Amino acid sequence: NEELLERTKDFAMQLNVTASDDLTSEIIDGKSVVGGGSAPDVRPATTLLSLKHKSLSAAKLEEKLRQSDPPVIARIIDDRVLIDLRTVSSEDESELLQILSVLQ
């Protein structure tokens, strides 16, 4: 979806400006997880924001996101934390950006 790709690119650019140098992001192609895993055969193509932190493992980064307020639900694949903006409303992007920008 071209709109999702553009949203993700815009978000990644904002994140690169506001986040510490310890957090790096990359835009990758992937598959969405539908229904919290209740529909394992339904995996539409999506654009993902891939995150890595210089001093935190993917598991620790995911844990910090899950424990944030509000919690950010992400997944880990190949030692990367993945966020699918398809699951984030446009109105909630600024809050997600704030959470990611203060990660230590």
Coordinates of all heavy atoms in Angstrom, one line a residue:
N1 N 0.8 -1.2 0.0 CA 0.0 0.0 0.0 C 0.9 1.2 0.0 O 1.7 1.5 0.9 CB -0.9 -0.1 1.2 CG -1.8 1.1 1.4 OD1 -1.4 2.2 1.3 ND2 -3.0 0.8 1.8
E2 N 0.8 2.1 -1.0 CA 1.6 3.2 -1.2 C 1.4 4.3 -0.1 O 2.4 4.9 0.4 CB 1.3 3.9 -2.5 CG 2.3 4.9 -3.0 CD 3.7 4.4 -3.2 OE1 3.8 3.2 -3.7 OE2 4.6 5.1 -3.0
E3 N 0.2 4.4 0.4 CA -0.1 5.3 1.5 C 0.7 4.9 2.8 O 1.3 5.8 3.5 CB -1.6 5.4 1.8 CG -2.0 6.4 2.9 CD -3.5 6.4 3.1 OE1 -4.2 6.1 2.2 OE2 -3.8 6.6 4.3
L4 N 0.7 3.6 3.1 CA 1.4 3.1 4.3 C 2.9 3.3 4.1 O 3.5 3.7 5.1 CB 1.0 1.7 4.5 CG 1.7 1.1 5.8 CD1 1.2 1.8 7.0 CD2 1.3 -0.4 5.8
L5 N 3.4 3.1 2.9 CA 4.8 3.3 2.7 C 5.2 4.8 2.9 O 6.2 5.1 3.6 CB 5.2 2.9 1.3 CG 6.6 3.2 0.8 CD1 7.6 2.5 1.7 CD2 6.8 2.8 -0.6
E6 N 4.4 5.7 2.4 CA 4.7 7.1 2.6 C 4.6 7.5 4.1 O 5.4 8.3 4.6 CB 3.7 8.0 1.8 CG 4.0 7.9 0.3 CD 5.5 8.2 -0.1 OE1 6.0 9.2 0.4 OE2 6.1 7.4 -0.8
R7 N 3.5 7.0 4.8 CA 3.4 7.3 6.3 C 4.7 6.8 7.0 O 5.2 7.5 7.9 CB 2.2 6.5 6.8 CG 0.9 7.3 6.9 CD -0.2 6.5 7.6 NE 0.0 6.4 9.0 CZ -0.5 5.4 9.8 NH1 -1.2 4.5 9.2 NH2 -0.3 5.4 11.1
T8 N 5.1 5.6 6.7 CA 6.3 5.0 7.3 C 7.5 5.8 7.0 O 8.3 6.0 7.9 CB 6.4 3.5 7.0 OG1 5.2 2.8 7.2 CG2 7.5 2.8 7.8
K9 N 7.7 6.2 5.8 CA 8.9 7.0 5.4 C 8.8 8.3 6.2 O 9.9 8.8 6.8 CB 8.9 7.3 3.9 CG 9.3 6.2 3.1 CD 9.3 6.6 1.6 CE 9.7 5.5 0.7 NZ 9.6 6.0 -0.7
D10 N 7.7 9.0 6.3 CA 7.6 10.3 7.0 C 7.9 10.1 8.5 O 8.6 10.9 9.1 CB 6.2 10.8 6.8 CG 5.9 11.4 5.5 OD1 6.8 11.6 4.7 OD2 4.7 11.6 5.1
F11 N 7.3 9.0 9.0 CA 7.6 8.7 10.5 C 9.1 8.4 10.7 O 9.6 9.0 11.7 CB 6.7 7.5 10.9 CG 6.8 7.2 12.4 CD1 5.9 7.8 13.2 CD2 7.7 6.4 12.9 CE1 5.9 7.6 14.6 CE2 7.8 6.2 14.3 CZ 6.9 6.8 15.1
A12 N 9.7 7.7 9.8 CA 11.1 7.4 10.0 C 12.0 8.6 9.9 O 12.9 8.8 10.7 CB 11.6 6.3 9.0
M13 N 11.6 9.6 9.0 CA 12.3 10.8 9.0 C 12.2 11.6 10.2 O 13.2 12.2 10.7 CB 11.9 11.6 7.8 CG 12.4 11.1 6.4 SD 12.2 12.2 5.0 CE 10.4 12.4 5.0
Q14 N 11.0 11.7 10.8 CA 10.8 12.4 12.0 C 11.6 11.7 13.2 O 12.1 12.4 14.0 CB 9.3 12.4 12.4 CG 8.5 13.3 11.5 CD 7.0 13.2 11.9 OE1 6.6 13.5 13.0 NE2 6.2 12.7 10.9
L15 N 11.5 10.4 13.2 CA 12.3 9.7 14.2 C 13.8 9.9 14.2 O 14.4 10.1 15.2 CB 12.0 8.2 14.1 CG 12.6 7.3 15.2 CD1 12.0 7.7 16.6 CD2 12.2 5.8 14.9
N16 N 14.3 10.0 13.0 CA 15.7 10.2 12.8 C 16.1 11.6 13.4 O 17.3 11.8 13.8 CB 16.2 10.1 11.4 CG 16.2 8.7 10.9 OD1 16.3 7.7 11.7 ND2 16.0 8.5 9.6
V17 N 15.2 12.6 13.3 CA 15.5 13.9 13.8 C 15.4 13.9 15.4 O 16.2 14.6 16.0 CB 14.5 14.9 13.2 CG1 14.6 16.3 13.9 CG2 14.8 15.0 11.7
T18 N 14.4 13.2 15.9 CA 14.1 13.4 17.3 C 14.7 12.3 18.2 O 15.0 12.6 19.4 CB 12.6 13.3 17.6 OG1 12.1 12.1 17.1 CG2 11.9 14.5 16.9
A19 N 15.0 11.2 17.7 CA 15.6 10.1 18.6 C 17.1 10.2 18.8 O 17.7 10.9 18.0 CB 15.3 8.7 17.9
S20 N 17.5 9.6 19.8 CA 19.0 9.6 20.1 C 19.7 8.8 19.0 O 19.1 8.0 18.2 CB 19.3 9.0 21.4 OG 19.3 7.6 21.3
D21 N 21.0 9.1 18.9 CA 21.8 8.3 17.9 C 21.9 6.9 18.1 O 22.3 6.1 17.3 CB 23.2 8.9 17.8 CG 23.2 10.3 17.2 OD1 22.2 10.7 16.5 OD2 24.2 11.1 17.5
D22 N 21.5 6.4 19.4 CA 21.5 5.0 19.7 C 20.4 4.2 19.0 O 20.6 3.0 18.9 CB 21.4 4.9 21.2 CG 22.6 5.4 22.0 OD1 23.6 5.5 21.4 OD2 22.4 5.6 23.2
L23 N 19.4 4.9 18.6 CA 18.3 4.2 17.9 C 18.3 4.4 16.4 O 18.3 5.6 16.0 CB 16.9 4.7 18.5 CG 15.7 4.0 18.0 CD1 15.6 2.5 18.5 CD2 14.4 4.7 18.4
T24 N 18.4 3.3 15.7 CA 18.4 3.5 14.2 C 17.2 2.8 13.7 O 16.7 1.8 14.2 CB 19.7 2.9 13.6 OG1 19.7 1.5 14.0 CG2 20.9 3.6 14.0
S25 N 16.7 3.3 12.6 CA 15.5 2.7 11.9 C 15.7 2.5 10.5 O 16.6 3.1 9.9 CB 14.3 3.7 12.1 OG 14.5 4.9 11.4
E26 N 15.0 1.5 10.0 CA 15.1 1.1 8.6 C 13.6 0.7 8.1 O 12.9 0.2 8.9 CB 16.0 0.0 8.4 CG 16.2 -0.6 7.0 CD 17.1 -1.8 7.0 OE1 17.7 -2.2 8.0 OE2 17.3 -2.3 5.9
I27 N 13.3 1.0 6.9 CA 12.0 0.6 6.4 C 12.2 -0.6 5.6 O 13.1 -0.7 4.7 CB 11.4 1.7 5.5 CG1 11.2 3.0 6.3 CG2 10.1 1.3 4.8 CD1 10.8 4.2 5.6
I28 N 11.4 -1.7 5.9 CA 11.5 -2.9 5.2 C 10.1 -3.4 4.8 O 9.1 -3.0 5.4 CB 12.2 -4.0 6.1 CG1 11.4 -4.3 7.4 CG2 13.7 -3.6 6.4 CD1 12.0 -5.5 8.2
D29 N 10.1 -4.3 3.8 CA 8.9 -5.0 3.5 C 8.6 -6.2 4.4 O 9.6 -6.8 4.9 CB 8.9 -5.5 2.0 CG 9.0 -4.4 1.0 OD1 8.4 -3.4 1.2 OD2 9.7 -4.7 0.0
G30 N 7.4 -6.5 4.7 CA 7.0 -7.6 5.6 C 5.6 -8.0 5.4 O 4.9 -7.7 4.4
K31 N 5.2 -8.8 6.4 CA 3.8 -9.3 6.4 C 3.1 -8.8 7.7 O 3.8 -8.9 8.8 CB 3.8 -10.8 6.4 CG 4.4 -11.4 5.1 CD 3.5 -11.2 3.9 CE 4.1 -11.9 2.7 NZ 3.3 -11.6 1.5
S32 N 1.9 -8.4 7.6 CA 1.1 -8.0 8.8 C 0.7 -9.3 9.5 O 0.5 -10.3 8.9 CB -0.1 -7.2 8.4 OG 0.2 -5.9 8.1
V33 N 0.5 -9.2 10.8 CA -0.1 -10.3 11.6 C -1.5 -9.8 11.9 O -1.7 -8.8 12.5 CB 0.7 -10.5 13.0 CG1 0.0 -11.5 13.8 CG2 2.2 -10.9 12.7
V34 N -2.4 -10.6 11.5 CA -3.9 -10.3 11.6 C -4.5 -11.0 12.8 O -4.2 -12.1 13.1 CB -4.6 -10.7 10.3 CG1 -6.1 -10.5 10.4 CG2 -4.0 -10.0 9.1
G35 N -5.3 -10.2 13.5 CA -6.1 -10.8 14.6 C -5.2 -11.3 15.8 O -5.6 -12.2 16.4
G36 N -4.1 -10.6 16.0 CA -3.2 -11.1 17.1 C -2.8 -12.5 17.0 O -2.5 -13.2 18.0
G37 N -2.7 -13.0 15.8 CA -2.3 -14.4 15.5 C -3.4 -15.3 15.4 O -3.2 -16.5 15.2
S38 N -4.7 -14.8 15.5 CA -5.8 -15.8 15.5 C -6.1 -16.2 14.0 O -6.9 -17.1 13.8 CB -7.0 -15.1 16.1 OG -7.4 -14.0 15.4
A39 N -5.5 -15.5 13.1 CA -5.7 -15.8 11.6 C -4.3 -16.0 11.0 O -3.9 -15.2 10.2 CB -6.5 -14.7 10.9
P40 N -3.7 -17.1 11.4 CA -2.3 -17.3 11.0 C -2.1 -17.4 9.5 O -1.0 -17.2 9.0 CB -1.8 -18.6 11.7 CG -3.1 -19.3 12.0 CD -4.1 -18.3 12.2
D41 N -3.1 -17.8 8.7 CA -2.9 -17.9 7.3 C -3.2 -16.6 6.5 O -3.0 -16.5 5.3 CB -3.9 -19.0 6.7 CG -3.5 -20.4 7.3 OD1 -2.3 -20.6 7.6 OD2 -4.4 -21.2 7.4
V42 N -3.7 -15.6 7.2 CA -3.9 -14.2 6.6 C -2.8 -13.3 7.0 O -2.6 -12.9 8.1 CB -5.3 -13.7 7.1 CG1 -5.5 -12.3 6.5 CG2 -6.4 -14.6 6.9
R43 N -1.9 -13.1 6.0 CA -0.7 -12.2 6.3 C -0.5 -11.3 5.1 O 0.3 -11.5 4.3 CB 0.5 -13.1 6.5 CG 0.3 -14.0 7.8 CD 1.5 -14.8 8.2 NE 2.7 -14.0 8.2 CZ 3.3 -13.6 9.3 NH1 2.7 -13.8 10.5 NH2 4.4 -12.9 9.3
P44 N -1.3 -10.2 5.1 CA -1.1 -9.2 4.0 C 0.2 -8.5 4.0 O 0.8 -8.3 5.0 CB -2.3 -8.2 4.2 CG -2.6 -8.4 5.6 CD -2.3 -9.8 6.0
A45 N 0.7 -8.2 2.8 CA 2.0 -7.5 2.7 C 1.9 -6.1 3.3 O 0.8 -5.5 3.3 CB 2.3 -7.3 1.2
T46 N 3.0 -5.7 3.9 CA 3.0 -4.4 4.6 C 4.3 -3.8 4.5 O 5.3 -4.4 4.1 CB 2.5 -4.5 6.1 OG1 2.2 -3.2 6.6 CG2 3.5 -5.2 6.9
T47 N 4.4 -2.5 5.0 CA 5.7 -1.9 5.2 C 6.0 -1.8 6.7 O 5.1 -1.4 7.5 CB 5.7 -0.4 4.6 OG1 5.3 -0.6 3.2 CG2 7.0 0.3 4.8
L48 N 7.2 -2.2 7.1 CA 7.5 -2.2 8.6 C 8.6 -1.2 8.9 O 9.5 -1.0 8.1 CB 8.0 -3.6 9.0 CG 6.9 -4.7 8.7 CD1 7.6 -6.1 8.9 CD2 5.8 -4.6 9.7
L49 N 8.5 -0.7 10.1 CA 9.6 0.1 10.6 C 10.5 -0.8 11.5 O 10.0 -1.4 12.5 CB 9.0 1.3 11.5 CG 10.1 2.2 12.1 CD1 10.7 3.0 10.9 CD2 9.4 3.2 13.1
S50 N 11.7 -1.0 11.1 CA 12.6 -1.9 11.8 C 13.5 -1.0 12.7 O 14.1 -0.1 12.2 CB 13.5 -2.7 10.7 OG 14.5 -3.3 11.4
L51 N 13.6 -1.4 14.0 CA 14.4 -0.6 14.9 C 15.5 -1.5 15.5 O 15.3 -2.6 15.8 CB 13.5 -0.2 16.1 CG 12.3 0.7 15.7 CD1 11.4 0.9 16.9 CD2 12.7 2.0 15.1
K52 N 16.7 -0.8 15.7 CA 17.8 -1.4 16.4 C 18.3 -0.3 17.4 O 18.3 0.9 17.1 CB 18.9 -1.8 15.5 CG 18.6 -3.1 14.8 CD 19.9 -3.6 14.1 CE 19.9 -5.1 14.0 NZ 20.7 -5.9 14.7
H53 N 18.8 -0.8 18.5 CA 19.3 0.1 19.5 C 20.8 -0.3 19.8 O 21.1 -1.4 19.9 CB 18.5 0.1 20.8 CG 18.8 1.2 21.7 ND1 19.9 1.2 22.6 CD2 18.1 2.4 22.0 CE1 19.8 2.3 23.3 NE2 18.8 3.0 22.9
K54 N 21.6 0.7 19.9 CA 23.1 0.5 20.0 C 23.4 -0.3 21.3 O 24.3 -1.2 21.2 CB 23.8 1.8 20.1 CG 25.3 1.7 20.0 CD 26.0 3.0 20.0 CE 25.8 3.8 18.8 NZ 26.5 5.1 18.7
S55 N 22.7 0.0 22.4 CA 23.1 -0.7 23.6 C 22.0 -1.6 24.2 O 22.2 -2.3 25.2 CB 23.4 0.3 24.7 OG 22.4 1.2 24.9
L56 N 20.9 -1.7 23.5 CA 19.8 -2.6 24.0 C 19.6 -3.8 23.0 O 19.6 -3.5 21.8 CB 18.5 -1.9 24.2 CG 18.4 -0.7 25.1 CD1 17.1 0.0 25.0 CD2 18.6 -1.2 26.6
S57 N 19.4 -4.9 23.5 CA 19.1 -6.1 22.6 C 17.7 -5.8 22.1 O 16.9 -5.0 22.7 CB 19.1 -7.4 23.4 OG 18.1 -7.4 24.4
A58 N 17.3 -6.6 21.1 CA 15.9 -6.5 20.5 C 14.9 -6.8 21.6 O 13.9 -6.2 21.7 CB 15.8 -7.4 19.3
A59 N 15.2 -7.8 22.4 CA 14.3 -8.3 23.5 C 14.1 -7.2 24.5 O 13.0 -6.9 25.0 CB 14.8 -9.6 24.1
K60 N 15.2 -6.5 24.9 CA 15.1 -5.4 25.9 C 14.4 -4.2 25.3 O 13.6 -3.6 26.0 CB 16.5 -5.1 26.4 CG 16.5 -4.2 27.6 CD 15.9 -4.9 28.8 CE 16.1 -4.1 30.0 NZ 15.3 -4.6 31.1
L61 N 14.7 -3.9 24.1 CA 14.0 -2.8 23.4 C 12.5 -3.1 23.3 O 11.7 -2.2 23.7 CB 14.6 -2.6 22.0 CG 13.9 -1.5 21.2 CD1 13.9 -0.1 21.9 CD2 14.6 -1.4 19.8
E62 N 12.1 -4.3 22.9 CA 10.7 -4.6 22.9 C 10.1 -4.6 24.2 O 8.9 -4.1 24.4 CB 10.6 -6.0 22.2 CG 9.1 -6.5 22.0 CD 8.5 -7.1 23.2 OE1 9.2 -7.6 24.1 OE2 7.2 -7.1 23.2
E63 N 10.8 -5.0 25.3 CA 10.3 -5.0 26.6 C 10.0 -3.5 27.1 O 9.0 -3.2 27.7 CB 11.2 -5.6 27.6 CG 10.8 -5.6 29.0 CD 11.9 -6.2 29.9 OE1 12.8 -6.9 29.5 OE2 11.8 -6.0 31.2
K64 N 11.0 -2.6 26.8 CA 10.8 -1.2 27.2 C 9.6 -0.6 26.5 O 8.8 0.1 27.0 CB 12.0 -0.4 26.8 CG 13.1 -0.6 27.8 CD 14.3 0.3 27.5 CE 15.3 0.3 28.5 NZ 15.1 1.3 29.5
L65 N 9.4 -1.0 25.2 CA 8.2 -0.5 24.4 C 6.9 -1.0 25.1 O 5.9 -0.3 25.2 CB 8.3 -0.9 23.0 CG 9.4 -0.2 22.2 CD1 9.5 -0.7 20.8 CD2 9.2 1.3 22.1
R66 N 6.9 -2.3 25.4 CA 5.7 -2.9 26.0 C 5.4 -2.3 27.3 O 4.2 -2.2 27.7 CB 5.9 -4.4 26.1 CG 4.7 -5.3 26.3 CD 4.9 -6.8 26.2 NE 6.3 -7.2 26.1 CZ 7.1 -7.6 27.1 NH1 6.6 -7.6 28.3 NH2 8.3 -8.0 26.9
Q67 N 6.4 -1.9 28.1 CA 6.2 -1.3 29.4 C 6.0 0.2 29.4 O 5.8 0.8 30.4 CB 7.4 -1.6 30.3 CG 7.4 -3.1 30.6 CD 8.7 -3.5 31.4 OE1 9.6 -2.7 31.6 NE2 8.7 -4.7 31.9
S68 N 6.0 0.8 28.2 CA 5.8 2.3 28.1 C 4.3 2.6 28.4 O 3.5 1.7 28.4 CB 6.2 2.8 26.7 OG 5.4 2.3 25.7
D69 N 4.1 3.9 28.5 CA 2.7 4.3 28.7 C 2.3 5.3 27.7 O 2.8 6.4 27.6 CB 2.6 5.0 30.1 CG 1.2 5.4 30.5 OD1 0.2 4.8 29.9 OD2 1.0 6.3 31.3
P70 N 1.4 4.9 26.7 CA 0.8 3.6 26.6 C 1.7 2.5 26.1 O 2.7 2.8 25.5 CB -0.4 3.8 25.6 CG 0.2 4.9 24.7 CD 1.0 5.8 25.6
P71 N 1.4 1.2 26.3 CA 2.3 0.2 25.8 C 2.3 0.2 24.3 O 1.3 0.4 23.6 CB 1.6 -1.1 26.3 CG 0.7 -0.7 27.4 CD 0.3 0.7 27.1
V72 N 3.5 -0.1 23.8 CA 3.7 -0.3 22.3 C 3.9 -1.7 22.0 O 4.9 -2.3 22.6 CB 4.9 0.6 21.8 CG1 5.1 0.3 20.3 CG2 4.6 2.1 22.1
I73 N 3.1 -2.3 21.2 CA 3.2 -3.7 20.9 C 3.9 -3.9 19.6 O 3.5 -3.4 18.6 CB 1.8 -4.4 20.8 CG1 1.0 -4.2 22.1 CG2 2.0 -5.9 20.5 CD1 1.7 -4.6 23.4
A74 N 5.1 -4.5 19.7 CA 5.9 -4.7 18.5 C 6.3 -6.2 18.4 O 5.9 -7.0 19.3 CB 7.2 -3.9 18.6
R75 N 7.0 -6.6 17.4 CA 7.4 -8.0 17.3 C 8.9 -8.0 17.0 O 9.4 -7.0 16.5 CB 6.6 -8.8 16.3 CG 6.5 -8.2 15.0 CD 5.4 -9.0 14.2 NE 5.0 -8.1 13.1 CZ 5.0 -8.5 11.8 NH1 5.4 -9.8 11.5 NH2 4.6 -7.7 10.8
I76 N 9.5 -9.1 17.2 CA 11.0 -9.3 16.9 C 11.1 -10.3 15.9 O 10.6 -11.4 16.0 CB 11.7 -9.7 18.2 CG1 11.6 -8.6 19.3 CG2 13.2 -9.9 17.9 CD1 12.2 -9.0 20.6
I77 N 11.9 -10.0 14.8 CA 12.3 -10.9 13.8 C 13.7 -10.6 13.4 O 14.1 -9.4 13.2 CB 11.4 -10.8 12.6 CG1 10.0 -11.3 12.9 CG2 11.9 -11.7 11.4 CD1 9.0 -11.2 11.8
D78 N 14.6 -11.6 13.4 CA 16.0 -11.4 13.0 C 16.7 -10.3 13.9 O 17.4 -9.5 13.3 CB 16.1 -11.1 11.5 CG 15.7 -12.2 10.6 OD1 15.7 -13.4 11.1 OD2 15.2 -11.9 9.5
D79 N 16.4 -10.4 15.2 CA 17.1 -9.5 16.1 C 16.7 -8.0 15.8 O 17.5 -7.1 16.1 CB 18.6 -9.7 16.1 CG 19.2 -9.2 17.5 OD1 18.5 -9.3 18.5 OD2 20.3 -8.7 17.4
R80 N 15.6 -7.8 15.3 CA 15.1 -6.4 15.0 C 13.7 -6.3 15.6 O 12.9 -7.2 15.6 CB 14.9 -6.1 13.5 CG 16.2 -6.2 12.8 CD 15.8 -6.0 11.3 NE 17.0 -6.2 10.4 CZ 17.0 -5.7 9.2 NH1 16.0 -5.0 8.7 NH2 18.1 -5.9 8.5
V81 N 13.4 -5.1 16.2 CA 12.1 -4.8 16.6 C 11.3 -4.2 15.5 O 11.8 -3.2 14.8 CB 12.1 -3.8 17.8 CG1 10.7 -3.4 18.2 CG2 12.8 -4.5 19.0
L82 N 10.1 -4.8 15.2 CA 9.4 -4.3 14.0 C 8.0 -3.7 14.5 O 7.3 -4.3 15.3 CB 9.1 -5.5 13.1 CG 10.3 -6.3 12.6 CD1 9.8 -7.5 11.8 CD2 11.2 -5.4 11.8
I83 N 7.7 -2.5 13.9 CA 6.5 -1.9 14.2 C 5.8 -1.7 12.8 O 6.4 -1.2 11.9 CB 6.7 -0.5 14.9 CG1 7.3 -0.7 16.2 CG2 5.4 0.3 14.9 CD1 7.6 0.6 17.0
D84 N 4.5 -2.1 12.8 CA 3.7 -2.0 11.6 C 2.8 -0.8 11.8 O 1.8 -0.8 12.6 CB 2.9 -3.3 11.4 CG 2.1 -3.3 10.1 OD1 2.0 -2.3 9.4 OD2 1.6 -4.4 9.8
L85 N 3.0 0.3 11.1 CA 2.2 1.5 11.3 C 0.7 1.3 10.9 O -0.1 2.1 11.2 CB 2.8 2.7 10.6 CG 4.0 3.3 11.2 CD1 4.5 4.6 10.5 CD2 3.8 3.6 12.7
R86 N 0.5 0.2 10.2 CA -0.9 -0.2 9.8 C -1.7 -0.3 11.1 O -2.9 -0.1 11.1 CB -0.9 -1.5 9.0 CG -2.3 -2.0 8.6 CD -2.2 -3.4 8.0 NE -1.3 -3.6 7.0 CZ -1.5 -3.4 5.7 NH1 -2.7 -3.1 5.3 NH2 -0.6 -3.7 4.8
T87 N -1.1 -0.7 12.2 CA -1.7 -0.9 13.5 C -1.8 0.3 14.4 O -2.2 0.3 15.5 CB -1.1 -2.1 14.2 OG1 0.2 -1.7 14.6 CG2 -1.1 -3.3 13.4
V88 N -1.2 1.5 13.9 CA -1.1 2.7 14.6 C -2.0 3.7 13.9 O -1.8 4.0 12.7 CB 0.3 3.2 14.7 CG1 0.4 4.5 15.5 CG2 1.2 2.1 15.4
S89 N -2.9 4.4 14.6 CA -3.7 5.4 14.0 C -2.9 6.6 13.7 O -1.9 6.9 14.4 CB -4.9 5.8 14.8 OG -4.5 6.5 16.0
S90 N -3.2 7.4 12.7 CA -2.5 8.6 12.4 C -2.4 9.5 13.7 O -1.4 10.2 13.9 CB -3.1 9.4 11.3 OG -3.1 8.6 10.1
E91 N -3.5 9.6 14.4 CA -3.6 10.4 15.6 C -2.6 10.0 16.7 O -2.2 10.8 17.5 CB -5.0 10.4 16.2 CG -6.1 11.0 15.3 CD -6.6 10.1 14.2 OE1 -6.5 8.8 14.4 OE2 -7.0 10.6 13.2
D92 N -2.3 8.7 16.7 CA -1.4 8.1 17.7 C 0.1 8.2 17.3 O 1.0 7.8 18.1 CB -1.8 6.7 18.1 CG -3.1 6.6 18.8 OD1 -3.5 7.7 19.4 OD2 -3.7 5.6 18.8
E93 N 0.4 8.6 16.1 CA 1.8 8.6 15.6 C 2.7 9.5 16.5 O 3.8 9.2 16.8 CB 1.9 9.0 14.2 CG 1.5 7.9 13.2 CD 1.7 8.2 11.8 OE1 2.6 9.1 11.5 OE2 1.0 7.7 10.9
S94 N 2.2 10.7 16.9 CA 3.0 11.6 17.6 C 3.3 11.0 19.0 O 4.5 11.2 19.5 CB 2.3 13.0 17.8 OG 1.1 12.9 18.5
E95 N 2.4 10.3 19.6 CA 2.7 9.7 20.9 C 3.7 8.6 20.7 O 4.6 8.4 21.6 CB 1.4 9.1 21.5 CG 1.5 8.7 22.9 CD 0.1 8.5 23.5 OE1 -0.9 8.1 22.8 OE2 0.0 8.7 24.7
L96 N 3.6 7.8 19.7 CA 4.6 6.7 19.4 C 6.0 7.4 19.2 O 7.0 6.9 19.7 CB 4.2 5.9 18.2 CG 5.2 4.8 17.7 CD1 5.5 3.8 18.8 CD2 4.7 4.1 16.5
L97 N 6.0 8.5 18.4 CA 7.3 9.2 18.2 C 7.9 9.6 19.5 O 9.1 9.5 19.7 CB 7.0 10.3 17.2 CG 8.2 11.1 16.7 CD1 9.2 10.2 15.9 CD2 7.8 12.3 15.9
Q98 N 7.1 10.2 20.4 CA 7.6 10.6 21.7 C 8.2 9.4 22.5 O 9.2 9.6 23.0 CB 6.5 11.3 22.4 CG 6.8 11.7 23.8 CD 8.0 12.8 23.9 OE1 8.1 13.6 23.0 NE2 8.7 12.7 24.9
I99 N 7.5 8.3 22.5 CA 8.0 7.1 23.2 C 9.3 6.7 22.7 O 10.2 6.4 23.4 CB 6.9 6.0 23.2 CG1 5.7 6.4 24.0 CG2 7.5 4.7 23.6 CD1 4.5 5.5 23.8
L100 N 9.4 6.6 21.3 CA 10.6 6.1 20.7 C 11.8 7.1 20.9 O 12.9 6.7 21.0 CB 10.4 5.8 19.2 CG 9.5 4.7 18.9 CD1 9.2 4.6 17.4 CD2 10.1 3.4 19.4
S101 N 11.4 8.4 21.0 CA 12.5 9.4 21.0 C 13.2 9.5 22.4 O 14.3 10.0 22.5 CB 11.9 10.8 20.7 OG 11.4 10.8 19.4
V102 N 12.5 9.0 23.4 CA 13.1 9.1 24.8 C 13.7 7.8 25.2 O 14.2 7.7 26.4 CB 12.1 9.6 25.8 CG1 11.7 11.0 25.5 CG2 10.9 8.7 26.0
L103 N 13.8 6.8 24.4 CA 14.4 5.5 24.8 C 15.8 5.6 25.1 O 16.6 6.3 24.4 CB 14.2 4.5 23.6 CG 12.9 3.9 23.4 CD1 12.8 3.0 22.2 CD2 12.5 3.0 24.6
Q104 N 16.3 5.0 26.2 CA 17.7 5.1 26.6 C 18.2 3.7 26.7 O 17.6 2.8 27.0 CB 17.8 5.8 27.9 CG 17.4 7.2 27.9 CD 18.2 8.1 27.0 OE1 19.4 7.9 26.9 NE2 17.6 9.0 26.2

